[in-house]
Amino acid sequence: MTAPSPLNLGVLVSGAGTNLQAILDAIDAGSLNAQVKVVISNRPGVPALERARKAGVAAVTISHKDFVDRTAFDHALVRTLHKADVNWVALAGFMRVLTPEFLGAYPGRIINIHPSLLPAFPGMDAQKQAFDYGVKLTGCTVHFVDHGVDSGRIIAQRAVPVEDGDDLAALAARIHTAEHALLVEVLREIAAGRVLPFAG
Ligand code: GRF
């Protein structure tokens, strides 16, 4: 059997970057056989960029506002990922839907972390959607990215209970902690060749 190619990750972010931090920490601890080759944010000045720099990882801002349309923006993303020799892409709180051009540049090799048990509560504010609905169990999902919103093939999920007396912040924090573990676990599986690029 041929060994899987090394996991050269590109991580796309838009905000706090705690999931990015979980990846960087796992690599640093030697528990994830991967390299983060570049971190790209579509929003300038977000904490995720600082987290990347602190870890010695190239941190790039590519603002969607600087492009005429989504295709031009995605071309710029792909150019940067290719230049950095990225072979898998993780969306970690990246708040833009990808175009077919981007999906075609990394076929079956783009994953996303979402803070609900999909297919329940896709889209924005998933934790609040679940909390307001009154579910007793929610969680997080890592899935392959397709052209829809949080609609790609599910790779792994982690259930998180809603405890009596939870407010939204407490629930969201519990989900966030579960996300960090789940995302790293899935990346380990990819790095080991046990999760393969999604063939459709
Ligand atoms: C996470 O809840 C993730 O599931 C969602 O955006 C949030 C990003 O959090 N897609 P962080 O920036 O990784 O802290």
Side-chain angles (χ1 to χ4, degrees), residues 25-176:
D25 289 349
I27 292 171
D28 193 46
S31 71
L32 172 59
N33 182 19
Q35 274 185 288
V36 178
K37 305 292 273 187
V38 66
V39 169
I40 307 176
S41 172
N42 67 309
R43 295 176 56 210
V46 294
L49 290 165
E50 194 46 40
R51 292 176 190 274
R53 287 191 197 104
K54 263 202 181 130
V57 170
V60 180
T61 301
I62 302 178
S63 172
H64 56 282
K65 294 182 182 161
D66 293 341
F67 296 87
V68 286
D69 57 22
R70 293 198 304 142
T71 302
F73 170 60
D74 277 10
H75 273 147
L77 296 178
V78 168
R79 261 199 311 276
T80 302
L81 293 166
H82 279 167
K83 250 178 41 196
D85 202 24
V86 163
N87 57 16
W88 278 83
V89 179
L91 310 187
F94 184 66
M95 296 311 204
R96 312 291 301 175
V97 175
L98 299 179
T99 59
E101 284 75 13
F102 192 118
L103 298 175
Y106 284 94
R109 290 170 171 266
I110 309 168
I111 64 168
N112 181 48
I113 175 94
H114 181 77
S116 77
L117 291 178
L118 291 170
F121 311 122
M124 298 290 286
D125 298 324
Q127 306 93 326
K128 183 172 186 317
Q129 292 183 53
F131 185 78
D132 290 349
Y133 199 97
V135 296
K136 299 298 181 196
L137 197 63
T138 180
C140 53
T141 302
V142 176
H143 63 92
F144 287 107
V145 175
D146 66 8
H147 50 273
V149 175
D150 304 321
S151 56
R153 174 66 63 92
I154 290 170
I155 304 171
Q157 295 186 302
R158 176 74 46 89
V160 172
V162 182
E163 308 282 6
D164 290 346
D166 267 356
D167 59 9
L168 177 58
L171 176 62
R174 195 175 304 120
I175 296 170
H176 228 155

